[in-house]
Amino acid sequence: MRVGVVGGGINGLSTAWALLQAGHEVELFERGELMRATSSASTKLLHGGLRYLEHGELRLVRESLQERNWWLRHVPDLARPLRLVLPVYRSASRSRWKLKAGLWLYDRLAGRQGIGAHGWRSTAELTALAPELRASGLRGGYVFYDGQMDDYCLGLWVAERVRELGGVLREHAEVRRVSERGALETAEESHDFDRVVNVAGPWAERLNAASDIEGGCRMDPVRGSHLLLERPLAVGFLLEAPQDRRPFFALPYQGQTLVGTTEVRQGLDEPIRCSPEERDYLLEAYNHYFRQAVPEEVAETFAGLRPLIRSGPDVNRASREYRIEQRGRLVTVCGGKWTTARRLGQEVARTVGG
Ligand SMILES: Cc1cc2nc3c(=O)[nH]c(=O)nc-3n(C[C@H](O)[C@H](O)[C@H](O)COP(=O)(O)OP(=O)(O)OC[C@H]3O[C@@H](n4cnc5c(N)ncnc54)[C@H](O)[C@@H]3O)c2cc1C
């Protein structure tokens, strides 16, 4: 079949890759450049997401952990295992035993291909391992493992696989309309395909609405911002923001420290950038645990819009699951994490059939 794919983020590229592997012809349309939107503004983790266990999302966590291992095994130049510390302070909102149960389950869900089991470290062991961490009130902590990637370069690696299989990747080609009959319109021309897949991330619902396609999944775009601090870090940390008890990360990344993230609902027409409030929030959270960083140490900020499926009022509890809907010859993809993009693509290829 001839398939037109809309969106050149990791989910669009992975969809194109899976369709080509299934024997289809693929032409992908990206309005800007490949991998320049949400997919290169992530926390750079290939992970199951420990916190999704709290929401009972066992299927998603298991699939993500399997996928984490796939990327680490197949693209070791761009994805590597990362040691993370989960310190336990006297003031923590989650007990040591609750964390232990979560980490135990996390290791079990990773299965035999896990990249290292978690373990408890005393305060002395932890401060030897991570001397930069605030010691007062520290009771010890857990060490566990996840994957870290260069999200932009790893996405371009997938784009290379697409080109190798004969896929056509068109940049600066905005799609104005799609249809249930398999048509797709750009400013210049109209194309007819056997199937069209709308994988436009946070903009998927808007494209369908502009095409007079009613209903389907509703998106809830939620911005997440990060800071890059000009200071190195030896291991990663999963911490609790003192302001609101939300989990956030401080990670070593390309010789700097990556701090994030936030969750702020926003409209699609608002600029996607880290606000002064988010910057202050992240700096304050970081400074609660580490030697004070001053605003001048912020080398860069960046932000992305999560393509979440609309659920309840609490964005912190919104699922990272994806959903695939078919109407006639149009397939629309909503949601999805970076880590699970390959599975999402395979699922779309199954839906398209052959
Ligand atoms: C702050 C933050 C941190 C995250 N951290 C992680 C993490 O650590 N690990 C993880 O697994 N996941 C993470 N995620 C989730 C993950 O980044 C996203 O789920 C994923 O990148 C979404 O990819 P996508 O291809 O669906 O969307 P996008 O990357 O946004 O791609 C959609 C593309 O469609 C294009 N487009 C839109 N409309 C049109 C049109 N009309 N015509 C043509 N092209 C169009 C856009 O230009 C864009 O390039 C994070 C997300 C955020 C926001």
Side-chain angles (χ1 to χ4, degrees), residues 7 9-11 30-31 38-39 42-43 45 175 203 306 336 338-339:
I10 192 56
N11 285 327
E30 163 56 48
R31 67 177 172 191
T38 323
S39 298
S42 81
T43 309
L45 287 174
V175 174
W203 301 275
R306 296 178 185 84
W338 211 113
T339 308

Side-chain angles (χ1 to χ4, degrees), residues 230-242:
E230 271 172 10
R231 50 168 79 174
L233 196 63
V235 292
F237 294 89
L238 173 53
L239 301 156
E240 191 175 81

Side-chain angles (χ1 to χ4, degrees), residues 110 148 171 214 224 316 354:
Q148 188 179 44
E171 293 179 295
E214 302 277 318
N316 193 19

Side-chain angles (χ1 to χ4, degrees), residues 6-13 29-47 52 149 151 173-176 198-204 207 222-226 249 261-262 302-307 320 333 335-340 344:
V6 188
I10 192 56
N11 285 327
L13 289 168
F29 299 78
E30 163 56 48
R31 67 177 172 191
E33 288 173 17
L34 300 173
M35 290 297 297
R36 288 291 186 192
T38 323
S39 298
S40 53
S42 81
T43 309
K44 330 284 181 202
L45 287 174
L46 293 163
H47 66 158
Y52 306 132
M149 59 174 160
D151 50 8
E174 178 165 12
V175 174
R176 302 264 173 94
N198 173 0
V199 209
W203 301 275
L207 176 59
V222 174
R223 184 174 71 239
S225 293
H226 292 90
F249 290 97
T261 176
T262 55
F302 62 89
L305 212 49
R306 296 178 185 84
R320 269 56 177 175
V333 178
K337 293 171 58 172
W338 211 113
T339 308
T340 51
L344 180 153

Side-chain angles (χ1 to χ4, degrees), residues 99-116:
L99 296 174
K100 167 85 194 159
L103 287 164
W104 177 86
L105 186 56
Y106 204 62
D107 286 347
R108 293 282 99 45
L109 291 172
R112 264 184 273 132
Q113 299 170 355
I115 52 175

Side-chain angles (χ1 to χ4, degrees), residues 6 11-12 18 20 72 87 110 120 137 163 167 196 199 205-206 211 246 255 261 272 295 304 327 333:
V6 188
N11 285 327
L20 288 157
L72 293 175
W120 176 257
R163 288 195 183 98
V196 167
V199 209
E205 183 188 351
R206 171 177 279 192
S211 312
R246 279 184 62 256
T261 176
I272 307 168
R327 281 165 169 247
V333 178

